[in-house]
Every structure is written in structure tokens, then in C-alpha cells.
Amino acid sequence: MKASVSAGRLGVGGGGPSSPASSPSGTVEYSSLPPDAVFAFVFSTGRCGTQHLARVLGSAPEAVVTHESESLTLRPRDVVTRTYRRLAGLPTVAAHDAAAARHVRRQLLPVLAARLTAAGDAAHTAVYTGHVPLAYGLGPALADALGTRLRVVRLRRERLATAVSLMALGPPEEDAWTADVAVPAVAVGVAGGAAGASSRGLRWFPVPSAPFVALRVEAPVWSRLNRFQRYLWYVDDIECRWQRLRSRLAESQVLELQLEALDLLDGGREYGRLARFLGVRINGTEAGVRHNSMQDKGRDKSAEGEATLRQWDREYRALVDGCDLGGGRVLSWKHMDDGGAGWLL
């Protein structure tokens, strides 16, 4: 794939009027890429197989895979601290949306476009498998900037299993909502501003007060939730925001996968769906490997039994209602059976 390296103006690809912006040195003007170039993002909570997808797709000549390292100069943890936490701490939806659009158009997409260009003529799909961009509310900004170039893989795992796995990432003091992190009035780019030292060691998830959160929980309710229930809230908020984004996208732009289905001995049917959706080849050897498991990390999951977790889930659903998806649709967990998905009302 050939495209000119630019430090000049960025246009908006396929989705609307141009919005000039400076491109960082060493990046590519993404709107100038050939028409078959697309950008695919995984929408998940994390702990749902994102690193597995990175390994499965990583050797495909048609794809350039980025898992978490989206900056030319900073480590992923510092990008989360300096950019994504600041975006999540902005005071209004409008302020977040404007800052998110700047980050997408000036930093994120130009970096991915540069990697795609450097990979050679066979590469046509930039795949970002890490959960952070969409978990931190960049979905609408990506849809605006990319238009028909955008592809989204919605990767899910059973709700309770996801919450348990997220809890096992570290001790409670590292949960994203344990610190009151000071945030400047205006979000800055990846390379700008001083990192908030108090937030650097926290998990890479948004807090309930973030402006892009769809599943709103009032402070008195939040204070009644235990740790497991707070992670259930995060899992459910991701689903709310996915449903909102899904309504903006065409069928050809969306693929929904269940992590548990990837483990089935079905002749590679689910991997075939992924390969056809992205137009890339799958590494069959990597498909049979379990990547980034808690056993590999040497960490233990909750010792609570399934009966206790389901009781906590029922108590959580009695407290946390649902989210407004627009168009008169509500996604609610209050009336569902154990283990089910939220009901669209």
C-alpha cells in the first residue's frame, strides 16, 4: 500500500466535511489511503480475548495489527494516563467529543495509517485489537472520521466470567475508580501535559463519572455495590455503548463474536467469519493457543462460588436499571433471567 507521508493537513475519510489538522511527524494522512484501506477496532471490556486476536491476525500479510502501542514515543500505560484518563475526566459530553475527535484525527489514525503504509502493498487493513480506544469513548469519533472505512469487531465474553477475570488483574487499590484523579480543563494530545501520578498504576477502565458513560449510576447506588458488582457495571456499560454505536453502522461494518465460541471444535467457523469480515488470513497455529490467561500471569480469580456471584448479580440488577439507547429503546438488566443479556425494551 502506498501513500504519501504528510506533516500537513488531515481530511476526514468517507464520513463528511474535511476538518484540517496538523499531522505529527512520521505519520500518514489517512484520508489519502487507497479506497480499499480500512481500519478495524475491537470493542470489548478487555479480558475477552483481544490479545488472542492480535496473535491470530498478527502474521497476516493483509493486516497490520496494533494491540496497545499506539504512540510513536510513549508506552501504553503513559498514553492511558496522559490522554485517555484526561478525556474521561472532562466535564461535559461536548468537551469530551471535541477532544476525542482531535485525538482520533491528529494522533491515532495517522499513526495507524503510517504503519499500514510501511507494511507494503499487500496490507489493506489496520487492526487495533486493544480495548482502550472504544472503552474510553472514541467510537463516535472514529465513525465520524472514517465513515465507511471503519470496521468494528464486538468481542464478548459471558458477563460474570468477564467481571471475575477483570477483578483478577490486580488488587482493589488498583481499580480505576479508587482514586480521585485531578484532570485539566482541556484534554491534551498524547505527548502533552504532565501525567497524573496518582492514576498511573490504575487499571485501564473508565470511571462512572466519565462523560461518555451510558449506564449512569448515582453515587448512593455506587456506594452500595461491591467490587464484583462494580466490574459488572463496567461490562454492562460497554454493552450499552456498543448498542449505541451499532445503530450508526452498516451491517457490512460490524462483526459480533463470542469468546467462548472461538474455543469450539467447529472446523474454524468463527475464525472463518473473522477472516472474511476483515479480508485477512488467520494463523491456525495461534488459533489453538490460549493467550494471556490468568494462569500465565500467576494470578488467582475470585474464590467465590457461582451461587454467590449470581446472587450478587441479582442484587446488582435490582439497583442498576438500564441505559437509554435513543429512539425510544432502553437496554435493561432488571428483568432478565440469570446469565442472560440485557433486555431491549
Side-chain angles (χ1 to χ4, degrees), residues 235-252:
V235 172
D236 292 344
D237 177 63
I238 289 290
E239 184 62 30
C240 285
R241 290 191 278 123
W242 160 247
Q243 294 293 340
R244 287 182 177 180
L245 180 62
R246 174 69 183 84
S247 66
R248 295 188 53 178
L249 304 177
E251 289 293 331
S252 60

Side-chain angles (χ1 to χ4, degrees), residues 63-247:
V64 175
V65 176
T66 296
H67 184 58
E68 292 171 346
S69 181
E70 65 180 69
S71 171
L72 299 173
T73 57
L74 296 175
R75 291 179 297 179
R77 183 174 297 278
D78 292 322
V79 173
V80 171
T81 301
R82 298 188 181 197
T83 297
Y84 288 105
R85 292 202 198 283
R86 295 176 187 269
L87 288 172
L90 289 171
T92 65
V93 173
H96 169 269
D97 290 351
R102 288 195 297 272
H103 175 62
V104 162
R105 296 176 184 180
R106 298 181 183 183
Q107 177 64 32
L108 179 57
L109 292 180
V111 167
L112 298 181
R115 293 172 182 173
L116 192 60
T117 301
D121 292 345
H124 54 68
T125 301
V127 184
Y128 195 122
T129 56
H131 76 281
V132 169
L134 293 183
Y136 274 88
L138 296 195
L142 288 167
D144 289 341
L146 290 171
T148 57
R149 288 187 189 269
L150 177 63
R151 302 289 183 273
V152 182
V153 177
R154 174 65 173 114
L155 185 58
R156 293 185 184 90
R157 184 181 184 181
E158 193 273 332
R159 287 174 68 246
L160 274 60
T162 306
V164 167
S165 188
L166 292 167
M167 286 173 57
L169 284 170
E173 55 267 26
E174 293 180 0
D175 291 346
W177 35 78
T178 59
D180 181 14
V181 181
V183 179
V186 178
V188 297
V190 166
S198 62
S199 72
R200 192 175 184 277
L202 301 182
R203 303 267 72 84
W204 300 355
F205 313 124
V207 296
S209 60
F212 50 79
V213 160
L215 185 58
R216 289 292 170 184
V217 179
E218 298 299 327
V221 173
W222 184 259
S223 67
R224 295 175 61 182
L225 302 181
N226 63 27
R227 190 177 184 224
F228 171 74
Q229 292 166 333
R230 291 179 177 186
Y231 274 106
L232 277 180
W233 164 83
Y234 167 60
V235 172
D236 292 344
D237 177 63
I238 289 290
E239 184 62 30
C240 285
R241 290 191 278 123
W242 160 247
Q243 294 293 340
R244 287 182 177 180
L245 180 62
R246 174 69 183 84
S247 66

